[in-house]
Short mmCIF file of all heavy atoms in Angstrom, two decimals:
data_model
loop_
_atom_site.label_atom_id
_atom_site.label_comp_id
_atom_site.label_asym_id
_atom_site.label_seq_id
_atom_site.Cartn_x
_atom_site.Cartn_y
_atom_site.Cartn_z
N LEU A 1 -12.24 -2.06 1.78
CA LEU A 1 -13.42 -1.21 1.62
C LEU A 1 -13.31 -0.51 0.27
O LEU A 1 -12.25 0.03 -0.06
CB LEU A 1 -13.47 -0.18 2.74
CG LEU A 1 -14.70 0.73 2.82
CD1 LEU A 1 -15.93 -0.07 3.24
CD2 LEU A 1 -14.44 1.88 3.79
N THR A 2 -14.39 -0.54 -0.51
CA THR A 2 -14.31 0.09 -1.83
C THR A 2 -15.05 1.42 -1.85
O THR A 2 -15.76 1.78 -0.92
CB THR A 2 -14.90 -0.80 -2.94
OG1 THR A 2 -16.33 -0.63 -2.99
CG2 THR A 2 -14.57 -2.27 -2.74
N PHE A 3 -14.86 2.11 -2.95
CA PHE A 3 -15.55 3.36 -3.25
C PHE A 3 -17.06 3.24 -3.01
O PHE A 3 -17.62 2.15 -3.03
CB PHE A 3 -15.29 3.78 -4.69
CG PHE A 3 -15.73 2.77 -5.72
CD1 PHE A 3 -16.97 2.86 -6.32
CD2 PHE A 3 -14.89 1.72 -6.10
CE1 PHE A 3 -17.39 1.93 -7.25
CE2 PHE A 3 -15.30 0.79 -7.04
CZ PHE A 3 -16.56 0.89 -7.61
N LYS A 4 -17.70 4.38 -2.80
CA LYS A 4 -19.15 4.45 -2.59
C LYS A 4 -19.60 3.70 -1.33
O LYS A 4 -20.73 3.22 -1.26
CB LYS A 4 -19.91 3.91 -3.81
CG LYS A 4 -20.06 4.91 -4.95
CD LYS A 4 -21.06 6.00 -4.61
CE LYS A 4 -21.33 6.90 -5.80
NZ LYS A 4 -22.34 7.93 -5.49
N SER A 5 -18.72 3.61 -0.35
CA SER A 5 -19.08 2.95 0.91
C SER A 5 -19.21 3.98 2.02
O SER A 5 -18.54 5.01 2.01
CB SER A 5 -18.02 1.91 1.30
OG SER A 5 -18.05 0.80 0.44
N ALA A 6 -20.07 3.66 3.00
CA ALA A 6 -20.30 4.52 4.16
C ALA A 6 -20.64 5.94 3.73
O ALA A 6 -20.21 6.92 4.34
CB ALA A 6 -19.06 4.51 5.07
N PHE A 7 -21.44 6.05 2.70
CA PHE A 7 -21.78 7.36 2.11
C PHE A 7 -23.10 7.89 2.65
O PHE A 7 -23.25 9.08 2.90
CB PHE A 7 -21.84 7.23 0.59
CG PHE A 7 -21.70 8.54 -0.14
CD1 PHE A 7 -20.44 9.06 -0.40
CD2 PHE A 7 -22.81 9.24 -0.55
CE1 PHE A 7 -20.30 10.27 -1.07
CE2 PHE A 7 -22.69 10.45 -1.20
CZ PHE A 7 -21.43 10.98 -1.47
N SER A 8 -24.08 7.00 2.83
CA SER A 8 -25.40 7.44 3.30
C SER A 8 -25.91 6.50 4.39
O SER A 8 -25.41 5.37 4.53
CB SER A 8 -26.40 7.48 2.14
OG SER A 8 -26.71 6.17 1.70
N ASP A 9 -26.91 6.97 5.13
CA ASP A 9 -27.47 6.12 6.19
C ASP A 9 -28.52 5.18 5.62
O ASP A 9 -28.69 5.08 4.40
CB ASP A 9 -28.04 6.99 7.32
CG ASP A 9 -29.25 7.82 6.90
OD1 ASP A 9 -29.84 7.55 5.83
OD2 ASP A 9 -29.60 8.76 7.65
N GLU A 10 -29.25 4.49 6.52
CA GLU A 10 -30.22 3.49 6.06
C GLU A 10 -31.43 4.09 5.35
O GLU A 10 -32.20 3.37 4.70
CB GLU A 10 -30.67 2.60 7.22
CG GLU A 10 -31.19 3.34 8.42
CD GLU A 10 -30.12 3.67 9.44
OE1 GLU A 10 -29.10 4.28 9.06
OE2 GLU A 10 -30.30 3.32 10.63
N GLU A 11 -31.61 5.42 5.44
CA GLU A 11 -32.68 6.12 4.71
C GLU A 11 -32.13 6.80 3.46
O GLU A 11 -32.82 7.61 2.84
CB GLU A 11 -33.35 7.14 5.63
CG GLU A 11 -33.95 6.55 6.89
CD GLU A 11 -35.10 5.60 6.60
OE1 GLU A 11 -35.74 5.76 5.54
OE2 GLU A 11 -35.35 4.70 7.43
N LEU A 12 -30.88 6.51 3.10
CA LEU A 12 -30.19 7.09 1.96
C LEU A 12 -29.91 8.58 2.11
O LEU A 12 -29.68 9.29 1.13
CB LEU A 12 -30.94 6.83 0.63
CG LEU A 12 -31.18 5.37 0.27
CD1 LEU A 12 -31.82 5.24 -1.10
CD2 LEU A 12 -29.88 4.56 0.32
N LYS A 13 -29.92 9.08 3.35
CA LYS A 13 -29.51 10.45 3.62
C LYS A 13 -27.99 10.47 3.73
O LYS A 13 -27.40 9.72 4.51
CB LYS A 13 -30.13 10.97 4.91
CG LYS A 13 -29.71 12.39 5.26
CD LYS A 13 -30.33 12.86 6.57
CE LYS A 13 -29.88 14.27 6.91
NZ LYS A 13 -30.47 14.74 8.20
N ILE A 14 -27.35 11.34 2.96
CA ILE A 14 -25.89 11.38 2.92
C ILE A 14 -25.35 11.93 4.24
O ILE A 14 -25.82 12.95 4.75
CB ILE A 14 -25.41 12.24 1.73
CG1 ILE A 14 -25.85 11.57 0.42
CG2 ILE A 14 -23.90 12.41 1.77
CD1 ILE A 14 -25.61 12.42 -0.81
N TYR A 15 -24.37 11.22 4.78
CA TYR A 15 -23.73 11.69 6.01
C TYR A 15 -23.03 13.02 5.76
O TYR A 15 -22.48 13.26 4.68
CB TYR A 15 -22.72 10.65 6.51
CG TYR A 15 -23.37 9.41 7.09
CD1 TYR A 15 -23.23 8.16 6.47
CD2 TYR A 15 -24.10 9.46 8.27
CE1 TYR A 15 -23.81 7.02 7.01
CE2 TYR A 15 -24.69 8.33 8.82
CZ TYR A 15 -24.54 7.12 8.19
OH TYR A 15 -25.12 5.98 8.73
N HIS A 16 -23.05 13.89 6.76
CA HIS A 16 -22.58 15.26 6.54
C HIS A 16 -21.15 15.49 7.02
O HIS A 16 -20.70 16.64 7.10
CB HIS A 16 -23.52 16.26 7.24
CG HIS A 16 -23.59 16.07 8.73
ND1 HIS A 16 -24.52 15.26 9.33
CD2 HIS A 16 -22.83 16.59 9.73
CE1 HIS A 16 -24.34 15.28 10.64
NE2 HIS A 16 -23.33 16.08 10.92
N ASP A 17 -20.42 14.42 7.36
CA ASP A 17 -19.02 14.60 7.74
C ASP A 17 -18.12 13.97 6.67
O ASP A 17 -18.58 13.62 5.59
CB ASP A 17 -18.77 13.98 9.12
CG ASP A 17 -19.10 12.49 9.15
OD1 ASP A 17 -19.80 12.03 8.22
OD2 ASP A 17 -18.66 11.79 10.08
N ALA A 18 -16.82 13.87 6.98
CA ALA A 18 -15.87 13.37 6.01
C ALA A 18 -16.18 11.92 5.63
O ALA A 18 -16.56 11.11 6.47
CB ALA A 18 -14.45 13.48 6.56
N GLN A 19 -16.00 11.63 4.35
CA GLN A 19 -16.24 10.29 3.84
C GLN A 19 -14.94 9.48 3.88
O GLN A 19 -13.87 10.04 3.66
CB GLN A 19 -16.76 10.36 2.40
CG GLN A 19 -18.01 11.17 2.21
CD GLN A 19 -19.24 10.52 2.82
OE1 GLN A 19 -19.20 9.35 3.22
NE2 GLN A 19 -20.33 11.26 2.89
N PRO A 20 -15.02 8.17 4.11
CA PRO A 20 -16.20 7.37 4.45
C PRO A 20 -16.59 7.55 5.91
O PRO A 20 -15.74 7.50 6.79
CB PRO A 20 -15.76 5.94 4.15
CG PRO A 20 -14.27 5.96 4.34
CD PRO A 20 -13.82 7.33 3.93
N HIS A 21 -17.86 7.74 6.16
CA HIS A 21 -18.39 8.07 7.48
C HIS A 21 -17.95 7.07 8.55
O HIS A 21 -18.05 5.85 8.36
CB HIS A 21 -19.92 8.12 7.41
CG HIS A 21 -20.59 8.44 8.71
ND1 HIS A 21 -20.39 9.64 9.36
CD2 HIS A 21 -21.45 7.73 9.48
CE1 HIS A 21 -21.12 9.66 10.47
NE2 HIS A 21 -21.76 8.51 10.57
N LEU A 22 -17.42 7.58 9.65
CA LEU A 22 -16.97 6.81 10.81
C LEU A 22 -15.77 5.92 10.53
O LEU A 22 -15.31 5.21 11.43
CB LEU A 22 -18.10 5.94 11.39
CG LEU A 22 -19.26 6.67 12.07
CD1 LEU A 22 -20.21 5.65 12.68
CD2 LEU A 22 -18.77 7.64 13.14
N LEU A 23 -15.25 5.95 9.31
CA LEU A 23 -14.16 5.04 8.98
C LEU A 23 -12.92 5.75 8.45
O LEU A 23 -11.97 5.10 8.02
CB LEU A 23 -14.63 4.00 7.93
CG LEU A 23 -15.74 3.04 8.37
CD1 LEU A 23 -16.17 2.15 7.22
CD2 LEU A 23 -15.32 2.20 9.57
N THR A 24 -12.92 7.08 8.46
CA THR A 24 -11.76 7.80 7.92
C THR A 24 -10.48 7.47 8.69
O THR A 24 -9.41 7.34 8.09
CB THR A 24 -12.00 9.31 7.94
OG1 THR A 24 -12.37 9.72 9.26
CG2 THR A 24 -13.10 9.70 6.97
N ASP A 25 -10.58 7.31 10.01
CA ASP A 25 -9.38 6.99 10.78
C ASP A 25 -8.98 5.53 10.59
O ASP A 25 -7.80 5.18 10.69
CB ASP A 25 -9.60 7.29 12.27
CG ASP A 25 -10.77 6.53 12.86
OD1 ASP A 25 -11.73 6.24 12.12
OD2 ASP A 25 -10.75 6.21 14.07
N VAL A 26 -9.96 4.67 10.30
CA VAL A 26 -9.65 3.26 10.06
C VAL A 26 -8.87 3.09 8.76
O VAL A 26 -7.86 2.38 8.71
CB VAL A 26 -10.94 2.41 10.02
CG1 VAL A 26 -10.62 0.96 9.70
CG2 VAL A 26 -11.68 2.51 11.35
N VAL A 27 -9.34 3.75 7.69
CA VAL A 27 -8.64 3.64 6.40
C VAL A 27 -7.51 4.66 6.29
O VAL A 27 -6.67 4.55 5.38
CB VAL A 27 -9.62 3.80 5.22
CG1 VAL A 27 -10.68 2.72 5.26
CG2 VAL A 27 -10.25 5.18 5.18
N GLY A 28 -7.49 5.67 7.17
CA GLY A 28 -6.42 6.66 7.16
C GLY A 28 -6.46 7.59 5.96
O GLY A 28 -5.43 8.12 5.54
N ALA A 29 -7.65 7.81 5.41
CA ALA A 29 -7.78 8.65 4.22
C ALA A 29 -9.21 9.17 4.12
O ALA A 29 -10.12 8.67 4.79
CB ALA A 29 -7.41 7.86 2.96
N THR A 30 -9.39 10.17 3.25
CA THR A 30 -10.72 10.71 3.01
C THR A 30 -10.76 11.29 1.59
O THR A 30 -9.75 11.29 0.87
CB THR A 30 -11.08 11.79 4.05
OG1 THR A 30 -12.44 12.18 3.87
CG2 THR A 30 -10.19 13.02 3.90
N TYR A 31 -11.93 11.79 1.20
CA TYR A 31 -12.10 12.42 -0.11
C TYR A 31 -13.34 13.28 -0.07
O TYR A 31 -14.24 13.09 0.76
CB TYR A 31 -12.21 11.37 -1.22
CG TYR A 31 -13.50 10.57 -1.16
CD1 TYR A 31 -14.62 10.95 -1.89
CD2 TYR A 31 -13.61 9.44 -0.34
CE1 TYR A 31 -15.81 10.23 -1.81
CE2 TYR A 31 -14.77 8.73 -0.25
CZ TYR A 31 -15.88 9.12 -0.99
OH TYR A 31 -17.05 8.42 -0.89
N ASP A 32 -13.42 14.25 -0.97
CA ASP A 32 -14.65 15.03 -1.11
C ASP A 32 -14.96 15.34 -2.57
O ASP A 32 -15.91 16.06 -2.88
CB ASP A 32 -14.59 16.34 -0.30
CG ASP A 32 -13.40 17.21 -0.66
OD1 ASP A 32 -12.89 17.10 -1.79
OD2 ASP A 32 -12.99 18.01 0.19
N GLN A 33 -14.14 14.77 -3.48
CA GLN A 33 -14.39 14.95 -4.91
C GLN A 33 -14.31 13.59 -5.61
O GLN A 33 -13.60 12.69 -5.17
CB GLN A 33 -13.36 15.90 -5.54
CG GLN A 33 -13.52 17.35 -5.10
CD GLN A 33 -12.53 18.25 -5.81
OE1 GLN A 33 -11.33 17.96 -5.87
NE2 GLN A 33 -13.02 19.34 -6.37
N PHE A 34 -15.07 13.49 -6.70
CA PHE A 34 -15.06 12.26 -7.49
C PHE A 34 -15.45 12.63 -8.91
O PHE A 34 -16.04 13.69 -9.16
CB PHE A 34 -16.04 11.22 -6.92
CG PHE A 34 -17.30 11.82 -6.33
CD1 PHE A 34 -18.36 12.18 -7.13
CD2 PHE A 34 -17.40 12.01 -4.96
CE1 PHE A 34 -19.51 12.73 -6.58
CE2 PHE A 34 -18.54 12.55 -4.39
CZ PHE A 34 -19.60 12.92 -5.20
N THR A 35 -15.13 11.75 -9.86
CA THR A 35 -15.42 12.06 -11.25
C THR A 35 -15.46 10.77 -12.07
O THR A 35 -15.16 9.68 -11.57
CB THR A 35 -14.35 13.01 -11.84
OG1 THR A 35 -14.78 13.49 -13.12
CG2 THR A 35 -13.01 12.32 -12.01
N LYS A 36 -15.84 10.91 -13.33
CA LYS A 36 -15.79 9.80 -14.28
C LYS A 36 -14.40 9.77 -14.90
O LYS A 36 -13.96 10.75 -15.50
CB LYS A 36 -16.85 9.97 -15.37
CG LYS A 36 -16.82 8.88 -16.43
CD LYS A 36 -17.86 9.14 -17.52
CE LYS A 36 -17.80 8.07 -18.61
NZ LYS A 36 -18.80 8.32 -19.68
N PRO A 37 -13.67 8.67 -14.77
CA PRO A 37 -12.31 8.62 -15.29
C PRO A 37 -12.27 8.53 -16.82
O PRO A 37 -13.07 7.81 -17.42
CB PRO A 37 -11.73 7.36 -14.66
CG PRO A 37 -12.92 6.51 -14.35
CD PRO A 37 -14.05 7.45 -14.04
N VAL A 38 -11.37 9.25 -17.41
CA VAL A 38 -11.11 9.20 -18.85
C VAL A 38 -9.60 9.04 -19.03
O VAL A 38 -8.82 9.89 -18.59
CB VAL A 38 -11.60 10.46 -19.58
CG1 VAL A 38 -11.26 10.38 -21.07
CG2 VAL A 38 -13.10 10.65 -19.39
N ASP A 39 -9.20 7.93 -19.65
CA ASP A 39 -7.78 7.64 -19.86
C ASP A 39 -7.00 7.65 -18.55
O ASP A 39 -5.95 8.30 -18.42
CB ASP A 39 -7.16 8.63 -20.86
CG ASP A 39 -7.79 8.56 -22.23
OD1 ASP A 39 -8.20 7.45 -22.62
OD2 ASP A 39 -7.91 9.60 -22.89
N VAL A 40 -7.52 6.93 -17.56
CA VAL A 40 -6.90 6.86 -16.25
C VAL A 40 -6.45 5.42 -15.99
O VAL A 40 -7.20 4.48 -16.26
CB VAL A 40 -7.86 7.31 -15.13
CG1 VAL A 40 -7.19 7.20 -13.76
CG2 VAL A 40 -8.33 8.74 -15.38
N THR A 41 -5.26 5.27 -15.45
CA THR A 41 -4.76 3.96 -15.04
C THR A 41 -4.17 4.07 -13.65
O THR A 41 -3.90 5.17 -13.15
CB THR A 41 -3.69 3.42 -16.01
OG1 THR A 41 -2.57 4.31 -16.03
CG2 THR A 41 -4.25 3.26 -17.42
N VAL A 42 -3.97 2.91 -13.04
CA VAL A 42 -3.19 2.83 -11.80
C VAL A 42 -2.13 1.76 -12.01
O VAL A 42 -2.29 0.83 -12.81
CB VAL A 42 -4.06 2.49 -10.58
CG1 VAL A 42 -5.13 3.54 -10.36
CG2 VAL A 42 -4.69 1.10 -10.71
#
């Protein structure tokens, strides 16, 4: 599963719980901040 997934419903209304919606326990992680990377590597 990649970034920007399970973010909004079929009407593009953003889900109001932890992201990714309904899948946080499946992926075992969450987030609430994001940004444009500058000089970032992995």
Side-chain angles (χ1 to χ4, degrees):
L1 185 70
T2 84
F3 59 94
K4 279 287 187 178
S5 289
F7 200 84
S8 70
D9 66 14
E10 53 269 54
E11 302 295 335
L12 301 185
K13 179 181 179 180
I14 296 172
Y15 288 114
H16 61 269
D17 59 343
Q19 303 290 349
H21 180 62
L22 291 185
L23 296 176
T24 53
D25 58 330
V26 177
V27 300
T30 187
Y31 68 94
D32 57 24
Q33 290 183 311
F34 36 81
T35 191
K36 178 182 178 180
V38 178
D39 298 327
V40 179
T41 61
V42 300

